[in-house]
Amino acid sequence: MKSQRVEFLKQSDIRRMTRECTRLDGINLGQGICDLPSPPSILEEASKAVLADKSVYSKFEGIDALREALADKLTRYNGLTQVNPDSDIIVTAGATGAFIATLQGLFNPGDEIIVFEPSYGYHINAMRVAGVEASTIALTGPDWKFSAEDLEGARTENTRAILINTPGNPSGKVFSREELTVVADFCKKHDLIAITDEIYEYIIYDGREHISLASLPGMYERTVTISGFSKTFSITGWRLGYAVAPPALSEAIGLVNDLFYICAPTPLQHGVAAGMTRIGDDYYEEMSRDFEKKRDLICGALSDAGLTPNVPQGAYYVLADISSLGCADAKAGAMHLLEKIGVASVPGSAFFSESSETQLTRFCYAKDWATLEEVARRLKSLNA
Ligand code: GLN
């Protein structure tokens, strides 16, 4: 049985490929699990908080110490100087929880949000459960460029917002200042809200800069900035994220967060708040450099195997063209790779709402070096 609201929902290909990978005992470059070691300071501080029995509900918007640490980080890293930690930050059950609370708090059934594709499928499905339609703009790699005309073409009288995911999953696109300025002008012209998912904000390559849309002139008041700690600290299972917005938007987000979740896990909030103060900028820089080298390794191995990669500019996924495998579609291609060389990926069709014609598949390289080197060897064997 399924309610009408979720009638269309199926298990995501991200989850399905993890199960297939376990069944076939493969290496999982499908789901963005990120099983790299977490910073010891974060683990130590969370353990201390658990042992100190910091076990009860926090405020629905999160503990003060974490919101204060975040306000500081948002000023320094994201250029959001006007964040009031008392009213503008809601700590949530992962970035996903922040997105759900934003949708439920700010949008009505029938509203439309513009989304660039390829896109993270959970975004569009969460919108559909909320009765919100996606108006999609399909981009093509490796640059995933768009124009002001594309934005105008996607807008209807029901359009209320635009969703920006930078660095993007699965494309690895990093929006430049010029592109974000086009988005900002569009939002201001048509009085739209912007929702940004910046969960990969610290994973950025080739000297690029992460730019938060809310830092552009006139954008803070109309933007919900979403991020979290999953990817930055390799704590994807802790489910800790946050939304940042001015009070006119954050009030409803906070009310829904209370209603749906009460609060994010309290001892883990303490762990991250205290741990963050022990982590210097070098941690983030080193993480980015390490992922950049891993990107180069995996992209090189994919190229050599004839699976042309769309070289990512950030995040830790790569979309590769698998048409040389001669499979009917991306789903068949991803399964072929898993069966033949024991490497799981996610078929690119999972990231487009309409076309399932794509021959792209997504590999996640948030893995240790030994695993990636083994993947490179296995990719090489495809040509043998
Ligand atoms: N964001 C991660 C991905 O894209 C994990 C999400 C999930 O497990 N659904 O793979």
Side-chain angles (χ1 to χ4, degrees), residues 29 294-312 317-322 324-325 337 341 343 345 361-365 372 375-380 382-383:
L29 299 202
K294 287 175 173 169
R295 173 201 66 173
D296 293 344
L297 172 76
I298 190 90
C299 286
L302 287 165
S303 287
D304 292 347
L307 312 180
T308 309
N310 288 278
V311 179
Y317 306 100
V318 52
L319 282 170
D321 183 338
I322 54 166
S324 64
L325 297 176
L337 278 176
I341 59 168
V343 176
S345 55
T361 190
R362 188 195 79 172
F363 297 87
C364 169
Y365 50 90
L372 294 176
V375 168
R377 267 191 295 280
R378 292 184 185 198
L379 284 169
K380 212 173 217 155
L382 270 179
N383 293 335

Side-chain angles (χ1 to χ4, degrees), residues 94-95 198-199 201 226-232 240-242:
E198 305 180 24
I199 188 78
E201 61 190 329
I226 292 175
S227 192
F229 307 101
S230 291
K231 319 289 177 173
T232 307
L240 269 189
Y242 54 92

Side-chain angles (χ1 to χ4, degrees), residues 82-100:
Q82 57 280 73
V83 180
N84 178 346
D86 294 328
S87 54
D88 298 13
I89 301 177
I90 315 288
V91 178
T92 54
T96 302
F99 189 57
I100 301 283

